[in-house]
Coordinates of all heavy atoms in Angstrom, one line a residue:
Chain A
L211 N -13.4 -22.8 -7.6 CA -12.6 -23.4 -8.6 C -11.2 -23.7 -8.1 O -10.5 -22.8 -7.5 CB -12.6 -22.4 -9.9 CG -12.1 -22.9 -11.2 CD1 -13.0 -24.0 -11.6 CD2 -12.2 -21.7 -12.1
V212 N -10.7 -24.9 -8.3 CA -9.4 -25.2 -7.7 C -8.5 -25.8 -8.7 O -8.9 -26.7 -9.6 CB -9.6 -26.1 -6.4 CG1 -10.3 -27.4 -6.8 CG2 -8.3 -26.5 -5.8
I213 N -7.2 -25.3 -8.7 CA -6.1 -25.9 -9.6 C -5.5 -26.7 -8.6 O -5.0 -26.5 -7.5 CB -5.2 -24.8 -10.0 CG1 -5.8 -23.9 -11.1 CG2 -3.9 -25.3 -10.5 CD1 -4.9 -22.8 -11.5
E214 N -5.1 -28.0 -9.0 CA -4.4 -28.9 -8.2 C -3.6 -29.9 -8.8 O -4.0 -30.5 -9.8 CB -5.3 -29.4 -7.1 CG -4.6 -30.0 -5.8 CD -3.6 -29.1 -5.2 OE1 -3.9 -28.2 -4.5 OE2 -2.4 -29.5 -5.5
H215 N -2.5 -30.3 -8.3 CA -1.7 -31.5 -8.6 C -2.1 -32.7 -7.7 O -2.1 -33.9 -8.1 CB -0.2 -31.3 -8.3 CG 0.5 -30.5 -9.2 ND1 0.6 -30.7 -10.5 CD2 1.3 -29.4 -9.0 CE1 1.4 -29.8 -11.1 NE2 1.8 -29.0 -10.2
H216 N -2.5 -32.3 -6.5 CA -2.7 -33.2 -5.5 C -4.0 -34.0 -5.7 O -5.1 -33.5 -5.5 CB -2.8 -32.5 -4.2 CG -2.4 -33.3 -3.0 ND1 -3.1 -34.3 -2.5 CD2 -1.2 -33.2 -2.3 CE1 -2.5 -34.9 -1.5 NE2 -1.3 -34.2 -1.3
M217 N -3.9 -35.2 -6.3 CA -5.1 -36.0 -6.7 C -6.0 -36.4 -5.6 O -7.2 -36.4 -5.9 CB -4.7 -37.3 -7.6 CG -4.0 -36.9 -8.9 SD -5.0 -35.6 -9.7 CE -6.2 -36.5 -10.5
D218 N -5.5 -36.6 -4.4 CA -6.4 -37.0 -3.3 C -7.4 -35.8 -3.0 O -8.6 -36.0 -2.8 CB -5.6 -37.2 -1.9 CG -4.8 -38.5 -2.0 OD1 -5.0 -39.3 -3.0 OD2 -4.0 -38.7 -1.1
L219 N -6.8 -34.6 -3.0 CA -7.6 -33.5 -2.8 C -8.7 -33.3 -3.9 O -9.9 -33.1 -3.6 CB -6.7 -32.2 -2.8 CG -7.4 -30.9 -2.4 CD1 -6.5 -30.1 -1.6 CD2 -7.8 -30.0 -3.6
V220 N -8.3 -33.4 -5.1 CA -9.3 -33.3 -6.1 C -10.3 -34.5 -6.1 O -11.5 -34.2 -6.3 CB -8.5 -33.4 -7.5 CG1 -9.5 -33.5 -8.7 CG2 -7.5 -32.3 -7.7
A221 N -9.8 -35.7 -5.8 CA -10.8 -36.8 -5.7 C -11.8 -36.6 -4.6 O -13.0 -36.9 -4.8 CB -10.0 -38.1 -5.5
S222 N -11.4 -36.0 -3.5 CA -12.3 -35.9 -2.4 C -13.2 -34.6 -2.5 O -14.1 -34.6 -1.8 CB -11.6 -36.1 -1.0 OG -10.5 -35.2 -1.0
L223 N -12.9 -33.7 -3.3 CA -13.6 -32.4 -3.4 C -14.3 -32.2 -4.6 O -15.5 -31.7 -4.6 CB -12.6 -31.3 -3.2 CG -12.1 -30.9 -1.7 CD1 -11.1 -29.8 -1.7 CD2 -13.2 -30.7 -0.8
C224 N -13.7 -32.5 -5.7 CA -14.3 -31.9 -7.0 C -15.5 -32.7 -7.6 O -15.4 -33.9 -7.8 CB -13.2 -31.7 -8.1 SG -11.9 -30.6 -7.4
Q225 N -16.5 -32.1 -8.0 CA -17.7 -32.8 -8.6 C -17.4 -32.9 -10.0 O -17.9 -33.8 -10.8 CB -18.9 -32.0 -8.4 CG -19.6 -32.2 -7.0 CD -19.3 -30.9 -6.2 OE1 -19.4 -29.8 -6.6 NE2 -18.9 -31.1 -4.9
K226 N -16.6 -31.9 -10.6 CA -16.3 -31.9 -12.0 C -14.9 -31.6 -12.1 O -14.3 -30.7 -11.3 CB -17.1 -30.8 -12.7 CG -17.3 -30.9 -14.1 CD -18.4 -29.9 -14.6 CE -18.4 -29.5 -15.9 NZ -19.4 -28.4 -16.2
V227 N -14.2 -32.2 -13.1 CA -12.8 -32.0 -13.3 C -12.5 -31.7 -14.8 O -13.0 -32.4 -15.7 CB -11.9 -33.1 -12.9 CG1 -10.4 -33.0 -13.1 CG2 -12.2 -33.4 -11.3
F228 N -11.5 -30.7 -15.0 CA -10.9 -30.5 -16.4 C -9.5 -30.8 -16.4 O -8.7 -30.2 -15.5 CB -11.2 -29.0 -16.8 CG -12.8 -28.8 -17.0 CD1 -13.5 -28.3 -15.9 CD2 -13.3 -28.8 -18.3 CE1 -14.9 -28.0 -16.0 CE2 -14.7 -28.6 -18.4 CZ -15.5 -28.2 -17.3
A229 N -9.1 -31.5 -17.3 CA -7.6 -31.7 -17.4 C -7.0 -30.9 -18.6 O -7.6 -30.8 -19.7 CB -7.5 -33.3 -17.8
M230 N -5.8 -30.4 -18.2 CA -5.3 -29.5 -19.2 C -3.9 -30.2 -19.5 O -3.2 -30.8 -18.7 CB -5.0 -28.1 -18.6 CG -6.2 -27.2 -18.7 SD -5.8 -25.5 -18.2 CE -5.0 -24.9 -19.6
N231 N -3.4 -29.9 -20.8 CA -2.1 -30.3 -21.3 C -1.7 -29.3 -22.5 O -2.5 -29.0 -23.3 CB -2.2 -31.7 -21.8 CG -0.7 -32.3 -21.8 OD1 0.1 -32.0 -21.1 ND2 -0.5 -33.2 -22.8
F232 N -0.5 -28.8 -22.3 CA 0.0 -27.9 -23.3 C -0.9 -26.7 -23.6 O -1.2 -26.5 -24.8 CB 0.4 -28.6 -24.6 CG 1.7 -29.4 -24.4 CD1 1.5 -30.9 -24.6 CD2 2.8 -28.9 -24.0 CE1 2.6 -31.6 -24.3 CE2 4.0 -29.7 -23.9 CZ 3.9 -31.2 -24.0
G233 N -1.6 -26.3 -22.6 CA -2.5 -25.0 -22.8 C -3.8 -25.3 -23.2 O -4.6 -24.4 -23.4
Q234 N -4.1 -26.6 -23.3 CA -5.5 -26.9 -23.8 C -6.3 -27.8 -22.8 O -5.6 -28.6 -22.1 CB -5.4 -27.7 -25.2 CG -5.2 -26.8 -26.4 CD -5.1 -27.6 -27.6 OE1 -4.2 -28.5 -27.8 NE2 -5.9 -27.1 -28.6
V235 N -7.6 -27.7 -22.9 CA -8.3 -28.7 -22.1 C -8.5 -29.9 -22.9 O -8.9 -29.9 -24.2 CB -9.8 -28.1 -21.8 CG1 -10.6 -29.3 -21.2 CG2 -9.6 -27.0 -20.7
I236 N -8.0 -31.1 -22.3 CA -8.1 -32.3 -23.1 C -9.2 -33.2 -22.7 O -9.6 -34.2 -23.4 CB -6.6 -33.0 -23.1 CG1 -6.2 -33.3 -21.7 CG2 -5.7 -32.3 -23.9 CD1 -5.0 -34.1 -21.5
A237 N -9.8 -33.0 -21.6 CA -10.9 -33.8 -21.0 C -11.7 -33.1 -20.0 O -11.1 -32.3 -19.2 CB -10.4 -35.2 -20.5
G238 N -12.9 -33.4 -19.9 CA -13.8 -32.8 -18.8 C -14.9 -33.7 -18.4 O -15.3 -34.4 -19.3
G239 N -15.2 -33.8 -17.1 CA -16.3 -34.6 -16.6 C -15.9 -35.0 -15.2 O -15.2 -34.1 -14.4
T240 N -16.5 -36.1 -14.7 CA -16.2 -36.5 -13.3 C -14.8 -37.0 -13.3 O -14.2 -37.2 -14.4 CB -17.0 -37.6 -12.8 OG1 -16.8 -38.8 -13.6 CG2 -18.5 -37.4 -13.0
L241 N -14.1 -37.1 -12.2 CA -12.7 -37.6 -12.0 C -12.6 -38.9 -12.7 O -11.5 -39.1 -13.4 CB -12.2 -37.5 -10.6 CG -10.8 -37.8 -10.4 CD1 -9.8 -36.8 -11.1 CD2 -10.4 -38.0 -9.0
A242 N -13.4 -39.8 -12.4 CA -13.3 -41.1 -13.0 C -13.3 -41.1 -14.5 O -12.5 -41.7 -15.1 CB -14.5 -42.0 -12.5
E243 N -14.2 -40.3 -15.0 CA -14.3 -40.1 -16.6 C -13.0 -39.6 -17.1 O -12.5 -40.1 -18.1 CB -15.5 -39.2 -17.0 CG -16.8 -39.9 -16.8 CD -17.9 -38.8 -16.9 OE1 -17.7 -37.5 -17.1 OE2 -19.1 -39.2 -16.6
V244 N -12.5 -38.5 -16.4 CA -11.3 -37.9 -16.9 C -10.0 -38.8 -16.8 O -9.3 -38.8 -17.7 CB -11.1 -36.5 -16.1 CG1 -9.7 -36.0 -16.4 CG2 -12.1 -35.6 -16.5
Q245 N -10.0 -39.6 -15.7 CA -8.9 -40.4 -15.5 C -8.8 -41.5 -16.6 O -7.7 -42.1 -16.8 CB -8.9 -41.1 -14.0 CG -8.3 -40.0 -13.1 CD -8.4 -40.7 -11.6 OE1 -9.4 -41.3 -11.3 NE2 -7.5 -40.4 -10.8
N246 N -10.0 -41.9 -17.0 CA -10.0 -43.0 -18.0 C -10.0 -42.5 -19.4 O -10.1 -43.3 -20.4 CB -11.2 -43.9 -17.7 CG -11.0 -44.7 -16.4 OD1 -9.8 -45.2 -16.2 ND2 -12.0 -44.6 -15.6
D247 N -9.9 -41.1 -19.7 CA -10.1 -40.6 -21.0 C -8.7 -40.9 -21.7 O -7.6 -40.7 -21.2 CB -10.2 -39.1 -20.8 CG -10.5 -38.4 -22.1 OD1 -9.6 -38.3 -23.0 OD2 -11.7 -38.1 -22.4
P248 N -8.8 -41.4 -22.9 CA -7.5 -41.8 -23.7 C -6.6 -40.6 -23.8 O -5.4 -40.8 -23.6 CB -8.2 -42.1 -25.0 CG -9.6 -42.5 -24.8 CD -10.0 -41.7 -23.6
A249 N -7.1 -39.3 -24.0 CA -6.2 -38.3 -24.1 C -5.5 -38.0 -22.9 O -4.3 -37.6 -22.9 CB -7.0 -37.0 -24.6
V250 N -6.1 -38.2 -21.8 CA -5.4 -37.9 -20.4 C -4.4 -38.9 -20.2 O -3.2 -38.7 -19.8 CB -6.5 -37.9 -19.3 CG1 -5.8 -37.8 -18.0 CG2 -7.5 -36.7 -19.5
L251 N -4.8 -40.2 -20.5 CA -3.7 -41.4 -20.2 C -2.5 -41.1 -21.1 O -1.5 -41.4 -20.7 CB -4.5 -42.7 -20.6 CG -5.5 -43.1 -19.6 CD1 -6.3 -44.4 -20.1 CD2 -5.0 -43.3 -18.2
E252 N -2.8 -40.7 -22.3 CA -1.7 -40.5 -23.2 C -0.7 -39.4 -22.8 O 0.4 -39.5 -22.7 CB -2.2 -40.1 -24.6 CG -1.1 -40.2 -25.7 CD -1.6 -39.8 -27.0 OE1 -2.7 -40.3 -27.5 OE2 -1.1 -38.9 -27.7
A253 N -1.4 -38.2 -22.3 CA -0.7 -37.1 -21.8 C 0.2 -37.5 -20.6 O 1.3 -37.1 -20.4 CB -1.7 -36.0 -21.4
Y254 N -0.4 -38.3 -19.7 CA 0.3 -38.5 -18.4 C 1.2 -39.8 -18.6 O 2.3 -39.8 -17.9 CB -0.7 -38.9 -17.3 CG -1.2 -37.6 -16.6 CD1 -2.1 -36.8 -17.2 CD2 -0.7 -37.3 -15.4 CE1 -2.5 -35.6 -16.6 CE2 -1.0 -36.1 -14.8 CZ -2.0 -35.3 -15.4 OH -2.4 -34.1 -14.8
L255 N 0.8 -40.8 -19.3 CA 1.6 -42.0 -19.3 C 2.3 -42.3 -20.7 O 3.1 -43.2 -20.9 CB 0.7 -43.2 -19.0 CG -0.1 -43.1 -17.7 CD1 -1.1 -44.2 -17.6 CD2 0.9 -43.1 -16.5

Side-chain angles (χ1 to χ4, degrees):
Chain A
L211 196 59
V212 54
I213 287 179
E214 197 45 79
H215 283 304
H216 210 285
M217 290 317 276
D218 287 353
L219 185 141
V220 174
S222 46
L223 285 177
C224 300
Q225 285 103 42
K226 197 169 162 191
V227 174
F228 293 86
M230 282 186 73
N231 197 32
F232 293 116
Q234 284 180 301
V235 168
I236 52 174
T240 64
L241 182 63
E243 284 165 9
V244 169
Q245 275 176 325
N246 294 314
D247 191 285
V250 173
L251 290 174
E252 191 183 311
Y254 274 78
L255 304 170

